[in-house]
Amino acid sequence: MQFEWNATKAKTNHRKHRVSFEELPQFSAIRLQRFMKIPAEGRYLLIGTSASRRLLIVAFAERRDRIRVINARRVTKREREMYEKENR
């Protein structure tokens, strides 16, 4: 699968969350910890560790043979605690 995104959205996301969409294609090589579908929106959320070893949440949509990145950010303190509890 290939990743794609809107260049303007990528810049906004980096400015707001300090997460570059360029880092996300590396998610294909990691163990995904949580994967959820949000049916009403046709979007998915995943929590995983990037190649730079940051725990991130990524929102995306599937587009044929591509993954359209919508948002990516570091997990919150609460999300990290839940992640650590689930992965002890």
Side-chain angles (χ1 to χ4, degrees), residues 4 8 19 24 27-28 32 37 45 49 51-52 60 68 70 76 79 87:
E4 67 179 17
T8 303
V19 175
L24 302 181
F27 260 67
S28 61
L32 301 179
K37 183 173 183 180
L45 291 177
T49 307
S52 63
F60 66 94
R68 178 79 173 180
I70 299 164
T76 63
E79 292 162 341
N87 292 287

Side-chain angles (χ1 to χ4, degrees), residues 7-57:
T8 303
K9 174 64 178 161
K11 288 177 185 176
T12 302
N13 192 85
H14 187 266
R15 191 170 42 251
K16 184 176 180 181
H17 300 295
R18 297 290 181 224
V19 175
S20 170
F21 286 178
E22 299 288 335
E23 185 177 348
L24 302 181
Q26 300 162 359
F27 260 67
S28 61
I30 64 164
R31 190 178 98 213
L32 301 179
Q33 302 302 326
R34 180 177 285 188
F35 184 78
M36 292 175 28
K37 183 173 183 180
I38 306 168
E41 299 179 22
R43 296 182 179 183
Y44 298 84
L45 291 177
L46 64 83
I47 296 177
T49 307
S50 70
S52 63
R53 306 192 52 81
R54 296 195 299 172
L55 191 58
L56 303 175
I57 289 186

Side-chain angles (χ1 to χ4, degrees), residues 2-6 21 63 66-70:
Q2 294 182 342
F3 286 75
E4 67 179 17
W5 52 77
N6 176 288
F21 286 178
R63 300 273 172 95
R66 296 174 186 245
I67 295 174
R68 178 79 173 180
V69 178
I70 299 164

Side-chain angles (χ1 to χ4, degrees), residues 69-83:
V69 178
I70 299 164
N71 187 357
R73 63 173 174 78
R74 288 182 172 174
V75 296
T76 63
K77 181 180 177 183
R78 182 172 179 253
E79 292 162 341
R80 179 174 294 280
E81 289 169 355
M82 287 174 25
Y83 167 84

